[in-house]
Amino acid sequence: MMQKDQFLRVHGGFRLEGEVFASGGKNAALAVLPAALLTDEPCVIENLPMIDDMFVMRDIFLALGAKVEFSKNAMRIEAKGLRTHAVPELLAHKLRASYYFLGALLGRVNESVVPFPGGCAIGSRLMDQHIKGFEALGARVYEDSEGISIEGDGLRGSVIYLDIPSVGATINIMLAAALAKGNTEIVNAGKEPHIVDLANFLNAMGASVRGAGTDTIRIKGVPRLHGCNYAVIPDQIETGTLMIAAAATGGDVLIRGALPTHMEALTAKLLEMGVRVDDTGTGEDSIRVRSEGRLRRVNIKTQPYPGFPTDLQQPMSALLSAAEGVSVIQETIFESRFRHLEELRRMGGKFTVKDRIAVIEGVKLLTGCPVLATDLRAGAALVIAGLMAQGVTEVNNIHYIDRGYEFIERKLNALGAKIERLERIGPLEIAAGG
Ligand code: EPZ
């Protein structure tokens, strides 16, 4: 679980080589788990990453009155006797995805209350499209300084045009519409892999969801859903982070259990930089990444899926900080997702940032030093920078990293990295479990 003042000491210059398994998808799990509330029968969700966000989800289920068992990457949820439709504030603040309980509880018991969520400080993180969807389904939505409460007296299907292909709004509307009366269409829907994963889980429960992964998702409301067993897809962003780490160290890494089709935007950019990326062609789900010598610069523009994922632009900025030439990253999804560059600058990186555009001038070598993670993917970027740098980099605030990466240093050390997880107690530094 999350430790207050742990930090990672990353020794630079070690080449990553060997095989590593991709964990189950954090964002897929966060979308699929709340759907288990839509039935009073037990659901078992497998291939979950053992990360802090999953323990918060477990605690929210318990607070709502569901029976939950969570161990060995699987969670059994039985939402037979829900005792409340309100998510506790303390838990909501720990997890942005707590807002998925708005749609799930509304769908199941026709009302829900969720305090404004927490989550990474990367932008405004509005919810107007979620609310637009709930109101289109006939619910009444009330917002106050604390959070959002919703009342529905039986949802009815509707056509909902999203102003932007919001991942969260698409997921929340799917959760609310699965049991609504009649048909719902979500137009300009998000197409992310974890949206498709949620549709597959809902259909395994007896729902009727068509078109997930395209611009228009069609949901035919059903009277009830049944329990089922399901395994979430591998984590697209962890896989991408491992691919970038392999490229950053001139390594040769095989990532097993990863889905090449989910990685195409990143793969294309790595190939442009001179990295070798093969899907091994063995038919099994795996990706091999090899690189040697200095990599070439590229330009990146983050886009909704299948475009370049915003969650990988931060790790990518670490790789680009030592590429040959000047690279440009345009962040179109969030308005302040470049805070980590200040930390990379302390390591010798050269950047200029104006609004949503970062211009990165590649340097020969970064130099290790103490740095601070400002959010989940920023933390991953700083670990990658530490792997590349000369000397030692201490990455602080690693509770952000533990929210979204399952044992990141164990996986990287198994590939040849040298990373210690330490805890400061006063003037002492002691090894910490992770
Ligand atoms: C999800 O966030 C992910 N989180 C994010 O991953 C990811 O970066 C993002 O999708 C984009 O892919 C989870 O899945 C838990 P959005 P979400 O709704 O749902 C604006 C990580 O590192 N917007 O597509 O919040 C919003 O302000 C995290 O794992 C509205 O204006 O993404 C943002 O600028 C970070 N109105 C943009 O759209 C709304 O109603 C994208 O938001 C909703 C969103």
Side-chain angles (χ1 to χ4, degrees):
M1 275 305 276
M2 186 164 87
Q3 303 295 333
K4 279 191 305 300
D5 49 2
Q6 288 189 356
F7 64 96
L8 293 177
R9 179 170 288 152
V10 185
H11 298 264
F14 290 81
R15 184 172 175 273
L16 299 187
E17 194 168 8
E19 293 189 12
V20 65
F21 271 90
S23 297
K26 164 180 92 79
N27 292 344
L30 292 171
V32 164
L33 287 167
L37 287 182
L38 293 171
T39 176
D40 57 5
E41 297 180 10
C43 292
V44 178
I45 317 291
E46 296 169 333
N47 198 31
L48 297 176
M50 298 304 277
I51 56 177
D52 289 349
D53 276 9
M54 294 299 109
F55 291 94
V56 178
M57 290 297 269
R58 176 203 61 190
D59 293 347
I60 292 175
F61 282 123
L62 289 170
L64 294 171
K67 284 196 193 118
V68 191
E69 291 145 40
F70 179 35
S71 68
K72 297 192 184 67
N73 302 85
M75 198 179 294
R76 182 184 185 278
I77 302 134
E78 187 172 351
K80 192 178 278 180
L82 293 181
R83 63 165 166 267
T84 174
H85 59 274
V87 172
E89 186 170 8
L90 192 65
L91 294 174
H93 285 175
K94 287 183 178 177
L95 184 65
R96 172 161 184 77
S98 54
Y99 64 31
Y100 290 148
F101 287 93
L102 284 168
L105 287 164
L106 179 63
R108 171 72 188 279
V109 294
N110 269 309
E111 53 186 339
S112 55
V113 177
V114 177
F116 284 124
C120 292
I122 52 177
S124 53
R125 316 297 297 268
L126 301 172
M127 292 186 63
D128 57 305
Q129 300 299 302
H130 300 238
I131 292 165
K132 174 179 182 176
F134 296 139
E135 289 176 338
L137 295 170
R140 289 176 304 288
V141 182
Y142 306 96
E143 273 186 274
D144 60 24
S145 56
E146 265 84 55
I148 295 178
S149 56
I150 308 179
E151 288 166 11
D153 45 10
L155 301 180
R156 286 167 301 287
S158 171
V159 179
I160 300 156
Y161 292 83
L162 292 181
D163 301 355
I164 51 171
S166 156
V167 173
T170 302
I171 289 167
N172 237 335
I173 295 164
M174 289 167 74
L175 291 167
L179 292 168
K181 285 188 182 51
N183 299 336
T184 295
E185 255 187 53
I186 308 171
V187 186
N188 193 24
K191 301 194 276 281
E192 274 65 13
H194 48 289
I195 290 171
V196 177
D197 214 19
L198 173 60
N200 292 338
F201 177 58
L202 288 170
N203 288 336
M205 295 172 77
S208 171
V209 182
R210 298 288 173 268
T214 74
D215 297 305
T216 304
I217 298 176
R218 291 181 176 81
I219 302 165
K220 190 180 291 165
V222 295
R224 65 184 307 282
L225 295 174
H226 55 73
C228 72
N229 285 22
Y230 190 79
V232 299
I233 54 172
D235 195 307
Q236 174 200 22
I237 306 305
E238 185 212 29
T239 299
T241 305
L242 292 168
M243 291 169 70
I244 294 168
T249 58
D252 180 351
V253 174
L254 180 67
I255 305 163
R256 288 199 181 286
L259 297 175
T261 50
H262 290 169
M263 306 315 302
E264 287 170 354
L266 172 64
T267 297
K269 285 298 166 183
L270 291 176
L271 292 171
E272 251 186 83
M273 294 179 72
V275 178
R276 290 182 61 186
V277 182
D278 308 289
D279 64 12
T280 64
T282 56
E284 61 156 290
D285 298 332
S286 61
I287 299 176
R288 185 176 180 188
V289 177
R290 283 172 278 183
S291 92
E292 55 193 38
R294 198 158 183 214
L295 298 174
R296 294 187 291 271
R297 40 81 50 214
V298 286
N299 291 339
I300 287 171
K301 181 176 180 180
T302 64
Q303 295 280 1
Y305 191 84
F308 193 93
T310 173
D311 294 346
L312 288 176
Q313 69 89 339
Q314 291 164 292
M316 200 63 171
S317 65
L319 182 65
L320 293 172
S321 62
E324 178 97 47
V326 178
S327 305
V328 177
I329 296 181
Q330 188 179 350
E331 170 55 67
T332 71
I333 308 291
F334 292 104
E335 56 268 38
S336 56
R337 204 165 191 172
F338 289 130
R339 291 172 60 206
H340 62 293
L341 293 180
E342 280 313 314
E343 297 301 304
L344 283 174
R345 196 192 302 276
R346 291 156 52 84
M347 298 176 72
K350 285 190 180 159
F351 314 92
T352 55
V353 175
K354 185 160 175 24
D355 301 330
R356 294 190 179 204
I357 292 184
V359 177
I360 299 170
E361 186 189 332
V363 296
K364 272 220 178 350
L365 198 56
L366 295 173
T367 308
C369 72
V371 290
L372 210 53
T374 47
D375 61 72
L376 164 57
R377 307 303 175 185
L382 295 171
V383 170
I384 290 170
L387 293 172
M388 300 160 61
Q390 187 173 41
V392 175
T393 301
E394 288 188 357
V395 183
N396 296 284
N397 268 3
I398 58 170
H399 60 84
Y400 285 117
I401 300 178
D402 291 339
R403 277 194 45 217
Y405 289 94
E406 187 177 37
F407 310 134
I408 189 165
E409 78 274 12
R410 282 190 207 169
K411 290 194 175 186
L412 294 172
N413 286 340
L415 291 169
K418 191 173 173 219
I419 303 174
E420 304 159 86
R421 179 180 285 258
L422 300 162
E423 196 162 300
R424 264 187 210 94
I425 300 184
L428 296 179
E429 286 177 358
I430 57 167

